[in-house]
Amino acid sequence: MTEQNRTRISWREGAWLNPPQSSREEGEWLKVVPDKGRDFWKKTLYGFEFEDGPALLTDWDRDTAVEVSFQLGSFTELYDQAGLLLYQGPAQWIKAGIEVNDGIPQLAVVVTNGYSDWSLAAVPEWAGEEVTLRASIIKDAVIIRARSVHHAWRTIRVARFPYASGNQAGPFTCSPTREGFEVTFTRWDITAPDQDLHIDPPIE
């Protein structure tokens, strides 16, 4: 993919859905510290409802793909998490990223339409690497993929996301159980959409 097909989104272009405890730019990176105890979840299994985690969002055209990259070096405790939030409204959203569970970094996706579900896939070999999450819409579904700097794209979820307008997307992070978790986001891009579920997108 050429640079003409890829547009880097400035961190300052986004608006916070729930501001974090702190955020600061360091060169091209954004370092974010979320407040302890905030998260995104609706009802299923636990009964509670959270939509107070920090997410930096901007409008997302469904004819483009959105990518967010971040470093895993700080992910050490249960439920440390960061990634990409796709947001239609308070009852319809998807968060996809890395979450520490059982001491292992996991590719985690929560799809919410009134109620949340949760899928996990362990990626211990990705520990400490830079990770990229990608979302691209085909017909009524969003294709969510992930890769690390040393590992190829993996398709981790196909979920219904049929909304024609009003979509937003951007980086999120949560720290449900501890203070002092800091995430370094390295990139936020809009690029060409996927053409086929079974064809990997290019890597910049």
Side-chain angles (χ1 to χ4, degrees):
M1 172 150 307
T2 66
E3 286 299 320
Q4 297 95 291
N5 300 111
R6 179 177 293 274
T7 301
R8 180 153 297 189
I9 302 173
S10 165
W11 308 116
R12 299 181 187 185
E13 289 182 42
W16 286 106
L17 174 70
N18 313 312
Q21 184 179 114
S22 69
S23 65
R24 68 186 191 280
E25 293 185 44
E26 288 192 0
E28 295 184 348
W29 296 351
L30 180 71
K31 297 202 169 195
V32 181
V33 177
D35 287 302
K36 176 184 176 182
R38 296 188 177 186
D39 204 349
F40 290 92
W41 186 265
K42 279 198 177 292
K43 303 175 185 175
T44 304
L45 181 63
Y46 306 108
F48 53 64
E49 297 188 56
F50 287 103
E51 195 181 305
D52 57 4
L56 188 61
L57 302 179
T58 191
D59 292 342
W60 177 35
D61 183 338
R62 61 176 288 122
D63 294 325
T64 64
V66 58
E67 295 182 8
V68 166
S69 301
F70 54 97
Q71 296 177 348
L72 287 189
S74 62
F75 288 60
T76 58
E77 304 295 329
L78 180 66
Y79 301 138
D80 286 355
Q81 60 188 273
L84 174 63
L85 183 74
L86 312 177
Y87 192 77
Q88 167 63 206
Q92 290 83 29
W93 48 264
I94 297 173
K95 68 172 183 176
I98 294 288
E99 181 169 340
V100 175
N101 198 277
D102 298 326
I104 298 169
Q106 310 254 1
L107 284 166
V109 183
V110 173
V111 178
T112 298
N113 187 2
Y115 290 79
S116 292
D117 71 26
W118 186 27
S119 60
L120 292 172
V123 282
E125 67 277 15
W126 290 17
E129 296 188 7
E130 182 183 55
V131 170
T132 298
L133 270 292
R134 173 186 171 94
S136 185
I137 292 174
I138 299 178
K139 298 181 180 178
D140 66 343
V142 62
I143 314 305
I144 301 174
R145 307 185 198 256
R147 65 174 176 85
S148 77
V149 69
H150 296 303
H151 296 87
W153 286 113
R154 292 175 52 166
T155 300
I156 59 174
R157 194 70 179 258
V158 177
R160 190 169 183 269
F161 203 75
Y163 316 108
S165 61
N167 298 321
Q168 295 182 294
F172 86 93
T173 179
C174 298
S175 182
T177 61
R178 71 161 170 132
E179 299 279 4
F181 176 52
E182 182 178 71
V183 179
T184 300
F185 291 99
T186 57
R187 195 166 55 90
W188 183 13
D189 286 355
I190 291 294
T191 185
D194 293 2
Q195 298 302 309
D196 187 279
L197 175 62
H198 301 288
I199 299 174
D200 283 351
I203 297 173
E204 182 183 12

